[in-house]
Amino acid sequence: MTESNAADGYHLRGHRARSVVLTNDELVEVRAAQRTFEGAYIRTALSQFSFALVVLKIFTAEFYSIGALFAIYGAGVLFTSLFRRQQGNRQFFSEIGDDGLNRKRFRTSGNVVVVLTALSVAAYACLLVLTLKLGDA
């Protein structure tokens, strides 16, 4: 019984993605995409988690909901980062379709931008509501 790996579906120059030897130009392109997309999203998520921890540790209990909001926002950005990584793998490598034809797909990151925009607007709307509730208490 053989195990199927997700990378077996991606090919570059006829080789499976996990066994391909990249040229210097291809390696630079992959690393630049990882720094730009994966790194930026993960750094943003880590900064949100750090800020949430600061709020939860330093401020009083009335600010806990704000700290929890930033932790949830960080988790949303982290999950978006995982989705963007999957899309990046599909973008660089080609796929073998069900019909056996080799296809290379290019997809912009517009869907990720829409998700992050909606997530950010929702988080900041909640932050505004929570901040206004602090004044009432």
Side-chain angles (χ1 to χ4, degrees):
M1 187 168 147
T2 62
E3 266 187 56
S4 176
N5 191 340
D8 290 340
Y10 301 119
H11 290 78
L12 181 67
R13 295 187 311 271
H15 298 284
R16 288 182 307 231
R18 62 183 175 159
S19 66
V20 70
V21 178
L22 299 174
T23 65
N24 283 339
D25 290 338
E26 292 167 339
L27 197 55
V28 166
E29 184 178 341
V30 168
R31 287 179 180 162
Q34 285 176 337
R35 276 192 313 272
T36 302
F37 296 117
E38 297 171 27
Y41 294 140
I42 290 176
R43 283 190 303 270
T44 302
L46 286 175
S47 68
Q48 295 301 319
F49 290 140
S50 299
F51 185 70
L53 186 63
V54 166
V55 169
L56 292 173
K57 286 291 187 182
I58 293 178
F59 294 100
T60 59
E62 61 188 3
F63 290 95
Y64 284 177
S65 58
I66 294 175
L69 172 67
F70 277 100
I72 292 169
Y73 180 67
V77 172
L78 187 62
F79 286 124
T80 305
S81 167
L82 296 174
F83 175 72
R84 181 63 183 111
R85 180 183 176 127
Q86 177 202 23
Q87 294 297 315
N89 287 341
R90 287 186 178 182
Q91 180 177 330
F92 185 73
F93 295 105
S94 59
E95 294 180 285
I96 304 279
D98 293 333
D99 54 2
L101 296 176
N102 199 7
R103 293 185 177 86
K104 186 166 184 152
R105 294 183 180 173
F106 176 77
R107 188 164 172 106
T108 64
S109 58
N111 52 355
V112 174
V113 171
V114 169
V115 168
L116 280 176
T117 301
L119 186 66
S120 298
V121 167
Y124 285 108
C126 290
L127 181 63
L128 181 64
V129 169
L130 290 173
T131 305
L132 292 175
K133 283 185 177 180
L134 284 177
D136 294 340

